């Protein structure tokens, strides 16, 4: 049973970044979206949101990637708070302090993590009493990756990626993330994919081998089924991706792939010491702006603490 803070408290919620273990892309629909079949895994790189009582909705962003974020009504966390206020009939505001650790436009759904954390934090702060399922419906209105940031773990995503089914996954997986300062626009990556596949009309699906690998808990088996259909498109738009992959190809990594629409490259390691070794290699070759060692699966958005404002 979750703790419900009083109105006088600030609420601290943490939500995870994600990587796509599998990302299969279908034909473009009249709506402009593509049908997707993906397997998400949440990883231990987190966004923090502290929601405090205020007269109006506002955001302030700090952290490694804060300079790339606009603190205005276009901020996905701001939009999440506004949507929840409208849905619940809440008339009070909130100030959202966002600490960014996930790269912006890096294919890891950092903005979606902010939105998911905001939905949970504001739900608790305002005591709207919405069920997780109801928050999930609001999350889907904000973006295809937001529902998964709420749930975390490992899940299959269909539709635009927002129709989620939890996946049975055993064990822990160790990843090295090679992150680029310059992000990629998701719509532009999909446009490039369309350019590369002008006649593509297949319906995407997830192979049984993927689910079997997850159930096995064996990183070597999982490495054999990792795939991202957007890999080439992202590489065309961000040439540094290919250089990172070349460096990782000469490392002990079991497999590499672009995360989501890129340009972050994720490398699967057999264990943590090897992941640290791979990360040191990538740093030494100076092919990425940031290198992180993370594990998955990680939990979804969750309450960390509630701090009374009068206690500082």
């Amino acid at each position: 049973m979750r703790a419900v803070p009083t109105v006088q408290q600030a609420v601290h919620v943490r939500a995870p970044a994600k990587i796509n273990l599998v990302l299969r892309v279908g034909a473009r629909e009249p709506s402009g979206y593509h049908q997707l079949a993906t397997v998400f895994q949440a990883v231990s790189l987190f966004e923090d949101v502290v929601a405090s009582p205020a007269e109006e909705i506002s955001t302030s962003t700090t952290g490694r990637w804060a300079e790339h974020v606009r603190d205005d009504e276009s901020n996905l966390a701001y939009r999440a708070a506004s949507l929840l206020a409208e849905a619940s009939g809440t008339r009070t505001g909130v100030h959202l302090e966002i600490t960014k650790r996930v790269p912006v436009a890096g294919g890891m759904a950092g903005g979606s993590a902010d939105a998911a954390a905001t939905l949970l934090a504001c739900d608790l702060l305002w005591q709207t009493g919405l069920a997780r399922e109801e928050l999930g419906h609001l999350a889907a209105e904000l973006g295809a990756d937001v529902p998964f940031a709420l749930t975390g773990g490992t899940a299959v995503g269909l539709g635009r990626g927002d129709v989620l089914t939890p996946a049975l996954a055993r064990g822990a997986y160790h990843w090295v993330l090679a992150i680029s300062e310059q992000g990629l626009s998701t719509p532009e990556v999909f446009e490039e994919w369309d350019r590369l596949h002008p006649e593509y009309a297949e319906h995407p699906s997830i192979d049984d081998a993927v689910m079997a690998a997850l159930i096995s808990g064996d990183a070597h088996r999982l490495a054999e089924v990792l795939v991202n259909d957007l890999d080439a498109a992202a590489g065309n738009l961000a040439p540094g991706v290919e250089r990172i992959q070349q460096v990782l190809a000469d490392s002990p990594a079991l497999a590499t792939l672009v995360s989501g629409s890129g340009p972050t490259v994720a490398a699967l390691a057999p264990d943590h010491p090897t992941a640290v070794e791979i990360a040191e290699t990538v740093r030494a070759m100076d092919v990425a702006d940031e290198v992180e060692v993370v594990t998955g699966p990680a939990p979804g958005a969750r309450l960390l603490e509630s701090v009374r404002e009068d206690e500082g």
Side-chain angles (χ1 to χ4, degrees):
M1 186 173 181
R2 66 185 182 182
V4 178
T6 66
V7 162
Q8 291 76 32
Q9 291 178 313
V11 179
H12 185 179
V13 172
R14 174 169 288 174
K18 60 82 181 172
I19 57 178
N20 299 79
L21 308 182
V22 173
L23 180 53
R24 291 295 193 185
V25 180
R28 187 171 187 168
E29 299 184 327
S31 65
Y33 290 103
H34 294 75
Q35 284 292 313
L36 303 177
T38 188
V39 178
F40 294 111
Q41 184 163 98
V43 295
S44 58
L45 186 63
F46 299 100
E47 299 280 87
D48 281 42
V49 173
V50 176
S52 304
E55 293 184 3
E56 298 180 344
I57 296 173
S58 62
T59 67
S60 60
T61 306
T62 59
R64 169 66 175 86
W65 309 97
E67 64 188 68
H68 301 287
V69 177
R70 296 173 60 182
D71 283 312
D72 58 22
E73 294 182 7
S74 67
N75 188 299
L76 199 55
Y78 184 105
R79 290 167 53 197
S82 298
L83 181 63
L84 180 60
E86 180 181 357
S88 62
T90 300
R91 298 191 179 187
T92 56
V94 63
H95 179 65
L96 303 167
E97 299 174 55
I98 304 167
T99 303
K100 287 210 69 65
R101 300 182 184 88
V102 181
V104 175
M108 299 192 68
S112 295
D114 294 337
T118 296
L119 286 174
L120 181 56
C122 289
D123 172 57
L124 293 170
L125 182 72
W126 293 335
Q127 301 184 34
T128 63
L130 295 183
R132 239 346 144 97
E133 183 179 359
E134 294 174 286
L135 290 180
H137 292 317
L138 296 179
E141 292 186 40
L142 293 163
D145 292 335
V146 182
F148 178 70
L150 269 178
T151 62
T154 305
V156 174
L158 300 177
R160 290 188 296 140
D162 57 334
V163 182
L164 297 176
T165 303
L168 178 59
R170 294 191 174 96
Y173 298 92
H174 304 274
W175 300 92
V176 178
L177 306 175
I179 301 168
S180 300
E181 187 81 34
Q182 183 176 0
L184 283 176
S185 160
T186 297
E188 289 180 4
V189 175
F190 275 98
E191 287 176 10
E192 177 64 8
W193 190 89
D194 287 334
R195 188 187 69 80
L196 295 173
H197 305 84
E199 305 297 329
Y200 195 82
E202 292 185 23
H203 187 77
S205 61
I206 302 299
D207 292 341
D208 290 342
V210 176
M211 309 314 295
L214 287 169
I215 291 172
S216 75
D218 184 341
H220 292 81
R221 287 187 63 179
L222 184 63
E224 295 175 357
V225 298
L226 297 179
V227 63
N228 184 351
D229 285 349
L230 296 177
D231 197 297
N236 286 352
L237 298 176
V241 167
E242 184 177 355
R243 176 62 180 142
I244 292 171
Q245 290 174 324
Q246 289 172 347
V247 169
L248 289 169
D250 294 328
S251 77
L254 301 177
T256 66
L257 81 170
V258 170
S259 178
S261 56
T264 302
V265 178
L268 179 60
D271 50 47
H272 181 71
T274 305
V276 172
E277 176 188 342
I278 295 167
E280 290 173 351
T281 298
V282 176
R283 292 189 186 103
M285 295 299 291
D286 197 25
V287 293
D289 295 305
E290 195 88 11
V291 183
E292 297 276 359
V293 176
V294 299
T295 57
R302 68 196 191 281
L303 177 68
L304 288 190
E305 59 187 20
S306 299
V307 183
R308 291 187 181 275
E309 290 187 329
D310 60 5
E311 293 177 351

